[in-house]
Amino acid sequence: MTNTSFDTKIVHHKADQRLVPNSKSTPIYQTSAFTFKDLDHLESYYEGHSPYLYTRERNPNTDELAGTVAELEEAPAGVASSSGMSAILAGILAVAKPGDHIVAAEDVYGGSHKLITKELSTFGIDVTMVSFSNLEKVSEVITDQTKLLYTESISNPFLRVEDLEGLVALARKKNVKTMVDNTFATPYLLQPYTHGVDLVVHSGTKYIGGHSDVTCGVLVGNEELVKAATQKIVTFGANLSPFEAWLTQRGAKTLGLRMKKQSYNAEQVAKALGEHDAVRTVYYPEKVSERGNGAIVTIELNDSIDVEAFFRSLGWVKIAPTLAGVETTVSYPVRTSHRALSNTEREKIGINDYVIRLSIGIEDYEDIVKQLEKALADSKN
Ligand SMILES: *Cc1c(COP(=O)(O)O)cnc(C)c1O
């Protein structure tokens, strides 16, 4: 571009390296749109021969992430979105239309609870929330309008493990679809789609990304439902940015390594705290999968502990209103995820001032146990 002016050169510079085909890592396609060499090329997009036009609709980085998670879940299709929440909304709207009804588990993640109870009505969707621990109760609230059963493979904070076979059997009998939030289990431990669940959703913000540096969602299922959900994500502008997709994809490379170590560590922490006289109850699931039981441990302390002092005595274990990073963190459901509930509502699901959720990281488990035991010793009443 020798014969052009500064203002032209600055956008058509010679150093352009947009195509380096043997780059070992996927480049970040940090572009809002794609260009076309002629009108035939543009036409080829609309005929379905060329995948990319505009990033809100589709981008190689989000495609790569969605494809990876779909493959890990053994589902034929996937779509990435701006957050776990937008993926959940898109999944529900792919199935339920105005006038339809869905049944959701009453112990779902706080944000999902709010979405389902406060927002779905604006789309004309009716909702019933019940405990999914007894599927007969779920069966009783299914009506002719019911289109979807919504739950989580492992619940928060008490880590109830969903009976996926029972759920799918009930849904098929009643001719309704199922959608499962698999965030806590990850496809390393459970693959709900292989059990017949129709839509599987993840907050990629958690274990799939794994490094607490990105907010993202992924939804997987069959081509038809994922296409319908993609339409919602594109139209609502709830797409994931290329850089965030790239970060999540990069984090996902170590999902197996992290889950293996974090589940092992969690098992050791659950064991040690189970023997501690300041701990009333340890909630840690059993037999989630042959690979482990997940990396979240919830405990209820007894009243020999000053809980405020416990949180002050945790040293390098930080208080964080999230989970699934490589560092061990603690969260306090009463003050964070379940803050909006009344005391009575909290009591109903078993959350009181002594319930603490631990997200176990990749450190050496002896150090995690030592740090927690020290905090318990330092916070005795
Ligand atoms: C965090 C979380 C969500 C919401 O995901 P965001 O990425 O924060 O939107 C949904 N479900 C579960 C189980 C979660 O832990």
Side-chain angles (χ1 to χ4, degrees), residues 16 48 69 74 81 93 119 216 288 298 309 351:
D16 189 333
V69 177
E74 295 184 34
S81 73
L93 295 183
E119 300 295 340
C216 126
V288 173
T298 297
I351 293 172

Side-chain angles (χ1 to χ4, degrees), residues 83-86 88 109 112 150 152 181 183-184 203-206 215-217 323:
S83 64
M85 291 313 304
S86 59
I88 293 167
Y109 172 77
S112 315
Y150 180 87
E152 296 173 354
D181 182 332
T183 300
F184 275 39
S203 168
T205 314
K206 313 294 168 47
T215 298
C216 126
L323 61 123

Side-chain angles (χ1 to χ4, degrees), residues 148-202:
L148 180 71
L149 307 181
Y150 180 87
T151 186
E152 296 173 354
S153 50
I154 302 180
S155 76
N156 173 35
F158 294 117
L159 312 170
R160 184 179 64 79
V161 181
E162 194 60 74
D163 165 15
L164 296 175
E165 258 77 37
L167 180 79
V168 168
L170 169 65
R172 289 190 174 159
K173 194 172 108 198
K174 298 280 190 174
N175 198 24
V176 300
K177 300 258 188 281
T178 47
M179 178 166 169
V180 168
D181 182 332
N182 199 32
T183 300
F184 275 39
T186 84
Y188 180 74
L189 298 179
L190 286 177
Q191 298 157 303
Y193 189 83
T194 66
H195 294 265
V197 168
D198 297 293
L199 283 169
V200 179
V201 69
H202 283 276

